[in-house]
């Protein structure tokens, strides 16, 4: 794992990449074998960064400041773990629904989030899977909006506005390198 920051986050990182040659691939495999799994959030054992209950943590991404963001599939929350190890609620409230567009992230409700991506401008894009939408939390204002999808599970809207498209099975969201 590697964060997108030059600073040192509170959690360990694995900074190695496999190369084309078999020798480099063997070195990569050896590094993976030595890597340790570290709990950074949730019911952490002694020495963990943080304790507390998480409900089905599922997607994770990091920003340029070393903050780690995670979403809960079952808990419907977006959480931020800062580089100092402090966990904060960004959005959601452990209930399922589709409310909150146009309002503050703290009052939004989701249903079955599977993935998220953090843009360079700190906007958060969420795969709100069971609501058939990609939703966006504006990084500057904290306002939630639907970015893709109408909420109807169908397949239509090619060539039109993304927010007017009918989609189904929106499990992942990814951003181009330029944001």
């Amino acid at each position: 794992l590697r964060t997108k920051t030059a600073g040192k986050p509170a959690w360990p990182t694995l900074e190695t990449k496999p190369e084309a040659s078999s020798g480099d691939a063997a070195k990569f495999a050896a590094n993976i074998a030595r890597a340790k799994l570290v709990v950074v959030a949730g019911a952490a054992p002694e020495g963990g960064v943080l304790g507390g209950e998480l409900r089905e943590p599922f997607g994770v991404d990091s920003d340029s400041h070393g903050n780690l963001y995670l979403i809960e599939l079952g808990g419907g929350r977006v959480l931020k773990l800062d580089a100092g190890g402090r966990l904060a609620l960004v959005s959601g409230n452990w209930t399922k629904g589709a409310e909150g567009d146009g309002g503050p992230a703290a009052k939004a409700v989701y249903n079955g989030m599977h993935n998220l991506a953090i843009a360079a401008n700190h906007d958060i894009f969420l795969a709100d899977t069971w609501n058939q939408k990609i939703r966006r939390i504006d990084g500057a204002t904290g306002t939630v909006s639907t970015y893709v999808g109408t909420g109807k599970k169908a397949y239509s809207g090619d060539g039109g506005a993304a927010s007017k498209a009918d989609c189904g099975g929106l499990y992942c969201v990814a951003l181009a390198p330029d944001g």
Side-chain angles (χ1 to χ4, degrees):
L1 299 173
R2 186 175 153 195
T3 64
K4 298 176 188 174
T5 180
K8 292 186 178 183
W11 50 89
T13 62
L14 178 63
E15 296 192 25
T16 184
K17 299 185 282 189
E19 302 297 331
S21 75
S22 62
D24 287 338
K27 288 178 193 172
F28 178 74
N31 284 335
I32 293 294
R34 287 192 306 269
K36 294 180 183 177
L37 179 62
V38 177
V39 176
V40 296
E46 269 186 65
V49 173
L50 142 92
E53 181 183 353
L54 297 177
R55 291 189 186 168
E56 301 175 61
F58 215 80
V60 64
D61 199 5
S62 60
D63 67 17
S64 60
H65 298 293
N67 299 306
L68 186 72
Y69 292 81
L70 62 110
I71 52 101
E72 297 175 313
L73 175 67
R77 298 184 304 169
V78 180
L79 302 164
K80 174 183 169 183
L81 180 64
D82 71 20
R86 291 173 297 275
L87 188 68
L89 177 67
V90 174
S91 191
N93 62 8
W94 287 17
T95 61
K96 294 179 181 178
E99 295 80 32
D101 280 2
K107 296 188 180 222
V109 183
Y110 308 94
N111 191 4
M113 289 183 289
H114 276 73
N115 190 286
L116 77 161
I118 311 300
N121 68 353
H122 303 286
D123 285 356
I124 302 171
F125 292 88
L126 308 162
D128 195 359
T129 305
W130 298 329
N131 282 328
Q132 318 305 331
K133 297 178 180 184
I134 300 294
R135 293 173 78 188
R136 176 180 152 254
I137 300 173
D138 185 286
T141 67
T143 302
V144 174
S145 62
T146 294
Y147 197 73
V148 175
T150 63
K152 179 180 174 187
K153 187 173 184 177
Y155 304 96
S156 67
D158 287 355
S163 62
K164 302 291 184 199
D166 292 327
C167 307
L170 296 168
Y171 289 92
C172 291
V173 58
L175 302 173
D178 61 358

